[in-house]
């Protein structure tokens, strides 16, 4: 038997085997669900991965952020791949990779570009070495790398996700709402790194603010699952992160208010921002109205914002 045949028999694809995965963008928090709620949306990054035996790294990126993606050991896709390979017997023989990314998810805007990169790397490397990790194990690895689960969970699983952390262990349930929704995103033309948006948060919050958020996040999940549209009123509001972040994002309050006025059932900062996500159960023309209202609201504060109308992604990361 040749070396490659032995690898194939053991479920490991031989070095040089190529795999392509598609990973959705994500929006975390959904207003009140700070660090626990998330959703996957219909905008994608594709990764074509080839693992190499020699210690050589080639990174080629096209699309969003292509000019700023590191091509060395700092590359987050490669760091995630290495993390997975180091934890498997079969992976240890791979020392390098060719990483080709086609990015559509805007970077550092609150749409989960780093989560998509992590999940893409893990999903592709896992498939090449014969899938030794199940979804739960991939989710745990991805959460360990990202530091919080609310973007990596929907990126991996699709749909809406609820995640709980317990002593570093993540548990996630993904579900599809009974009501089809459109998401209107207004994406400002400036980046906001998550670490910066987390620095302004308080260490502790008041009990009334905690109750404000817990009640809304719980109602949102119940209303989505039961398809009770009338219970959505005010459930996308938040008292524990957006008020502290508003000075980092000129036009945030105005964009949220204008989305509501234009017919959205609610709007919130997407993840750590600066993008704002509006939720609508209405037809396309209402989504268009919301999109231009949000772009204008940002413009009134001298912020240029691109609007996008997206749907829920129900598959999560998958091999293509
Ligand atoms: N829950 C995180 C935050 C999401 O709001 O900081 C970051 O994308």
């Amino acid at each position: 038997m040749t070396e490659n045949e032995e690898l194939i028999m053991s479920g490991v694809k031989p070095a040089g085997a190529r795999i392509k995965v598609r990973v959705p963008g994500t929006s975390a928090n959904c207003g009140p669900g700070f660090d626990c709620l998330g959703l996957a949306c219909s905008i994608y990054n594709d990764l074509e991965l080839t693992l190499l035996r020699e210690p050589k790294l080639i990174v080629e990126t096209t699309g969003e952020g292509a000019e700023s993606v590191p091509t060395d050991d700092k590359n987050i896709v490669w760091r995630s791949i290495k993390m997975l390979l180091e934890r498997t017997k079969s992976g240890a023989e791979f020392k390098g990779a060719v990483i080709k990314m086609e990015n559509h998810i805007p970077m550092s805007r609150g749409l989960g570009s780093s989560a998509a990169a992590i999940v893409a790397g893990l999903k592709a490397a896992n498939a090449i070495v014969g899938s030794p990790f199940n979804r739960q194990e991939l989710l745990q690895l991805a959460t360990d790398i990202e530091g919080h689960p609310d973007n990596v969970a929907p990126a991996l699983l699709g749909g809406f996700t609820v995640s709980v952390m317990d002593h570093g262990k993540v548990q996630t349930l993904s579900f599809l709402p009974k009501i089809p929704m459109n998401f209107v995103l207004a994406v400002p033309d400036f980046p906001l790194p998550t670490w910066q948006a987390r620095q302004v948060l308080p260490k502790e919050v008041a009990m009334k603010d905690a109750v404000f958020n817990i009640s809304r996040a719980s109602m949102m999940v119940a209303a989505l699952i039961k398809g009770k549209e009338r219970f959505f009123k005010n459930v996308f509001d938040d008292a524990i992160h957006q008020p502290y972040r508003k000075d980092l994002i000129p036009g945030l309050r105005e964009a949220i208010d204008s989305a509501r006025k234009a017919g959205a059932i609610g709007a919130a900062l997407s993840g750590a921002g600066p993008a704002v996500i509006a939720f609508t159960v209405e037809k396309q023309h209402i989504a268009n109205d919301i999109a231009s209202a949000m772009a204008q609201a940002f413009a009134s504060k001298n912020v240029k914002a691109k609007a996008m109308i997206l749907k829920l992604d129900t598959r999560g990361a998958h091999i293509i």
Side-chain angles (χ1 to χ4, degrees):
M1 224 189 291
T2 66
E3 196 184 355
N4 275 357
E5 280 166 343
E6 269 176 37
L7 284 170
I8 290 167
M9 293 285 288
S10 66
V12 179
K13 292 201 171 60
R18 222 180 312 152
I19 213 141
K20 206 166 171 184
V21 299
R22 176 161 292 170
V23 183
T26 50
S27 182
N29 302 331
C30 304
F34 180 72
D35 272 1
C36 61
L37 296 186
L39 61 88
C41 48
S42 56
I43 187 165
Y44 301 92
N45 284 358
D46 289 348
L47 161 67
E48 187 184 289
L49 173 67
T50 311
L51 290 181
L52 307 171
R53 287 190 203 290
E54 66 265 39
K56 184 165 125 190
L57 179 64
I58 299 171
V59 179
E60 290 171 15
T61 311
T62 56
E64 289 289 339
E67 57 302 326
S68 58
V69 173
T71 54
D72 57 11
D73 269 1
K74 290 196 197 75
N75 184 281
I76 183 79
V77 180
W78 173 235
R79 276 174 34 214
S80 308
I81 293 167
K82 266 206 320 208
M83 196 93 81
L84 182 137
L85 294 178
E86 281 160 13
R87 284 167 170 70
T88 63
K89 230 158 112 198
S90 46
E93 60 206 88
F94 298 112
K95 305 276 186 247
V98 182
I99 291 170
K100 291 186 182 169
M101 293 291 305
E102 190 188 313
N103 292 347
H104 297 278
I105 305 168
M107 285 177 88
S108 296
R109 297 298 197 278
L111 281 163
S113 60
S114 69
I118 293 166
V119 167
L122 294 178
K123 181 93 184 166
N126 191 48
I128 292 183
V129 298
S131 301
F133 295 101
N134 62 28
R135 271 182 154 198
Q136 174 58 35
E137 290 163 335
L138 288 181
L139 175 63
Q140 185 66 53
L141 253 178
T143 304
D144 293 344
I145 299 169
E146 173 95 323
H148 48 90
D150 48 341
N151 286 107
V152 292
L156 186 66
L157 307 172
F160 274 84
T161 53
V162 184
S163 299
V164 170
M165 292 298 288
D166 186 27
H167 295 95
K169 296 284 162 242
V170 61
Q171 240 196 337
T172 294
L173 254 183
S174 146
F175 68 94
L176 300 180
K178 255 202 181 151
I179 308 171
M181 270 196 183
N182 282 322
F183 310 116
V184 186
L185 274 303
V187 187
D189 66 352
F190 65 89
L192 178 56
T194 299
W195 65 263
Q196 202 181 326
R198 289 180 87 84
Q199 249 178 10
V200 298
L201 299 179
K203 294 267 175 293
E204 287 167 9
V205 296
M207 177 65 95
K208 70 172 178 21
D209 292 341
V211 173
F212 183 99
N213 274 52
I214 296 165
S215 55
R216 280 161 182 76
S218 308
M219 181 61 88
M220 184 194 305
V221 172
L224 285 167
I225 289 174
K226 296 196 82 162
K228 300 272 190 192
E229 218 178 292
R230 69 196 160 91
F231 286 89
F232 283 140
K233 201 168 154 24
N234 300 327
V235 299
F236 297 95
D237 292 345
D238 155 77
I240 67 169
H241 68 106
Q242 291 177 186
Y244 303 97
R245 288 172 161 172
K246 68 176 190 328
D247 293 343
L248 296 173
I249 305 140
L252 169 64
R253 190 70 263 158
E254 290 76 5
I256 291 176
D257 290 347
S258 71
R260 278 249 177 91
K261 278 194 200 122
I265 53 173
L269 193 59
S270 181
V276 173
I277 181 168
F279 300 80
T280 171
V281 289
E282 303 287 350
K283 303 280 174 304
Q284 184 74 25
H285 72 277
I286 304 269
N288 290 339
D289 291 350
I290 297 169
S292 41
M294 288 165 88
Q296 270 172 32
F298 269 122
S300 75
K301 294 287 165 190
N302 297 319
V303 173
K304 225 168 125 190
K306 186 171 87 178
M308 299 189 295
I309 299 171
L310 304 175
K311 296 202 176 312
L312 186 69
D313 169 90
T314 57
R315 284 183 80 177
H318 58 278
I319 311 280
I320 50 175

